Amino acid sequence: MKKPYIIPDGYGIIGIVFILAILGGYFISLYVAVIPFLLGVYLLYFFRNPARTITAAANELVSPADGTVMAIEWVQEDSYFFKKCRKIVVFLSVFNVHVNRAPLAGTIDFQQYTCGRFKPAYKEGVGYENERYSIGINKGTHRILVTLIAGILARRIVSWVSLGDRLDHGQLYGMIKLGSCAEIYVDEDVDILVQIGDKLRGGETVIGRFIS
């Protein structure tokens, strides 16, 4: 799914903030316009969608988002895999690119939106308490689960895909607005290639490789 450099989901709020800056500067003073103007500049930065080159092999998983690896652990997953699997947790700060990409080419055979709380995305346990959106991607021989999690500032998760849609490797499929977390669940047939603390680039950093 090709998107312009500034994601259209941000056009409305960006326009409103810049209009407030213009009105404040015209009717009150230029000093009043500074704060909304700077906020507008930041929002342009936040809703950016830089071009990414997807070079990973077909059996490799790319990161779904820019961010930092916060955890890699075994967990019981009871919505898609229904067994223990490994979870990679990626934290996105408010300065990271927030569009999300498909780690694997395949068909969306599972989709679930869960209402919840809005705790800080870096806190332990937010994947079970916070608002979140999950998709299962099935390639036929392999499958993964990706969950986008809202945080204290991220109050809306945007999806551009539906159940049954076919995703290409690294294709854009959604975003989380302002600070967030992404979780990737993989089966034991994946060799994880990242470590806690690694910095990732969505669509470009290879985070795992299928070994069978």
Side-chain angles (χ1 to χ4, degrees):
M1 178 176 296
K2 187 173 178 58
K3 292 280 185 180
Y5 186 80
I6 302 299
I7 296 296
D9 296 82
Y11 290 175
I13 187 171
I14 292 170
I16 291 172
V17 170
F18 276 120
I19 289 173
L20 290 175
I22 294 170
L23 293 176
Y26 182 81
F27 289 106
I28 305 176
S29 75
L30 292 178
Y31 295 107
V32 174
V34 170
I35 292 179
F37 176 78
L38 292 178
L39 177 59
V41 171
Y42 167 73
L43 290 173
L44 285 171
Y45 175 76
F46 177 82
F47 284 99
R48 69 197 187 282
N49 173 33
R52 294 288 166 86
T53 302
I54 315 301
T55 60
N59 68 330
E60 293 178 332
L61 299 175
V62 296
S63 176
D66 288 23
T68 304
V69 178
M70 300 297 289
I72 302 172
E73 56 191 1
W74 284 94
V75 297
Q76 178 69 27
E77 202 293 305
D78 290 323
S79 61
Y80 186 65
F81 284 104
F82 299 102
K83 64 178 182 178
K84 279 200 169 183
C85 58
R86 283 171 297 173
K87 177 177 71 173
I88 304 170
V89 181
V90 180
F91 172 70
L92 293 73
S93 77
V94 293
F95 300 107
N96 285 127
V97 174
H98 268 60
V99 292
N100 302 113
R101 297 178 178 272
L104 175 72
T107 301
I108 300 175
D109 65 348
F110 172 81
Q111 188 177 43
Q112 183 180 71
Y113 179 82
T114 305
C115 294
R117 304 174 67 181
F118 297 98
K119 286 186 175 182
Y122 56 83
K123 293 289 188 180
E124 185 177 354
V126 297
Y128 303 101
E129 296 184 45
N130 279 20
E131 181 172 321
R132 56 198 182 275
Y133 169 68
S134 301
I135 60 170
I137 303 176
N138 193 326
K139 191 178 181 179
T141 53
H142 305 294
R143 58 182 184 148
I144 64 169
L145 176 70
V146 186
T147 299
L148 307 180
I149 303 169
I152 192 170
L153 294 177
R155 296 288 175 137
R156 185 183 176 197
I157 301 173
V158 178
S159 173
W160 305 311
V161 296
S162 300
L163 190 67
D165 284 356
R166 169 77 183 181
L167 295 177
D168 294 326
H169 213 174
Q171 179 180 329
L172 291 174
Y173 76 89
M175 76 175 297
I176 316 174
K177 294 184 178 180
L178 299 176
S180 49
C181 182
E183 296 179 341
I184 308 95
Y185 295 82
V186 298
D187 210 341
E188 57 187 10
D189 59 350
V190 173
D191 182 18
I192 295 177
L193 304 177
V194 293
Q195 299 177 347
I196 295 174
D198 285 356
K199 304 295 183 181
L200 310 181
R201 285 171 61 86
E204 292 186 346
T205 304
V206 175
I207 61 173
R209 180 181 298 114
F210 288 101
I211 56 179
S212 61

